[in-house]
Amino acid sequence: MDGKRGEHPRQSRRERRIERRRREIVTAAAQVFAEKGYAHTTTRDLAEAADMAEGTLYNYFESKRDILLAILNEMCVPIDALLQNARTLTTRDDFVGVVENGLDIFVSQIDFTRALLTEIWVDDVIMDDLVIGRLQYIGQGIKGFINKRIEMGNFRPIDPEAATSMILGGFVALIMPVLRGKQPVPTPEARHQLAQTAVDLLFDGLRVRENQ
């Protein structure tokens, strides 16, 4: 019995060590993919970036595509948490928080996003898993929020589907110049201001408030 008790912690440490190494490989690979593009990156490039022999890389991943899918999974964890928040929008501050959290995720995962950007258009798995399904889920939360506001008389009657598409499109427009390296990564203060401005536009439009 004592021997069995001693084996489990060693196995757990081994699993944790493997998981840490896998994450290190994924992080290094994201940077390489972002710089060279997925198609132009070799497994040798990935092994060098992770500071290991190419043969050792295959102890952790079967192929370059498996590493790309691991990057996808890394991105999905914070995005899925954001989706839960997007489904429970009730106040203006809630909306600001979701937009700001989305920008925070984008900044923290910028290498992963850049690595996946070009593959989105040619890989149906990435397009379906990362983009379409999650955008639809977020869109449902935003649309529900808009519908509630229309029912309460806070928003004028508009097409919730069109409004949701414009909101999501506006978010993409905010992050695309940064992804392309045309603009610097916004600071936390700038991200908060961007989120506040986006929500102000949603609630108030471009008109001057009559009470001001």
Side-chain angles (χ1 to χ4, degrees):
M1 179 176 283
D2 290 342
K4 290 182 179 179
R5 281 203 302 267
E7 289 174 3
H8 181 69
R10 285 199 298 272
Q11 181 64 25
S12 296
R13 286 196 296 272
R14 179 176 180 275
E15 290 174 350
R16 289 195 297 270
R17 186 167 60 250
I18 291 173
E19 182 60 26
R20 283 197 302 271
R21 200 65 179 110
R22 282 174 58 89
R23 292 176 70 88
E24 290 171 358
I25 293 169
V26 167
T27 300
Q31 295 174 343
V32 178
F33 287 152
E35 293 171 1
K36 301 185 65 172
Y38 175 78
H40 295 98
T41 299
T42 66
T43 52
R44 178 175 295 180
D45 294 330
L46 300 178
E48 289 178 356
D51 194 23
M52 63 173 56
E54 187 174 1
T56 305
L57 186 72
Y58 291 106
N59 292 333
Y60 299 93
F61 293 97
E62 293 184 1
S63 66
K64 183 174 74 168
R65 177 172 170 74
D66 281 344
I67 298 176
L68 184 69
L69 293 179
I71 291 173
L72 173 63
N73 289 332
E74 284 288 325
M75 288 195 64
C76 288
V77 172
I79 291 175
D80 287 344
L82 178 67
L83 293 178
Q84 294 299 320
N85 293 332
R87 296 287 295 192
T88 58
L89 292 170
T90 56
T91 68
R92 186 175 185 135
D93 287 342
D94 289 341
F95 212 106
V96 172
V98 166
V99 175
E100 188 172 0
N101 286 342
L103 291 171
D104 290 343
I105 291 171
F106 157 71
V107 168
S108 67
Q109 304 273 15
I110 191 166
D111 282 336
F112 291 171
T113 307
R114 284 172 171 158
L116 292 169
L117 186 61
T118 56
E119 296 309 303
I120 285 172
W121 307 112
V122 297
D123 191 310
D124 289 341
V125 172
I126 295 176
M127 174 64 84
D128 293 340
D129 288 356
L130 180 63
V131 180
I132 295 177
R134 284 172 170 76
L135 282 180
Q136 288 175 342
Y137 196 92
I138 293 174
Q140 289 171 4
I142 295 173
K143 186 169 68 172
F145 176 83
I146 293 172
N147 276 325
K148 284 181 183 178
R149 288 283 173 166
I150 292 173
E151 293 171 1
M152 294 168 61
N154 300 128
F155 288 175
R156 61 184 176 83
I158 56 174
D159 180 353
E161 290 279 359
T164 298
S165 296
M166 292 181 69
I167 291 168
L168 293 174
F171 183 83
V172 172
L174 284 175
I175 66 174
M176 192 57 66
V178 180
L179 274 178
R180 294 286 296 154
K182 301 300 183 181
Q183 293 181 5
V185 174
T187 64
E189 294 77 13
R191 296 197 293 273
H192 177 74
Q193 186 58 53
L194 283 171
Q196 188 69 61
T197 300
V199 174
D200 285 346
L201 285 171
L202 171 64
F203 277 73
D204 305 321
L206 297 174
R207 293 179 299 176
V208 176
R209 298 179 189 176
E210 295 180 359
N211 292 333
Q212 288 185 337

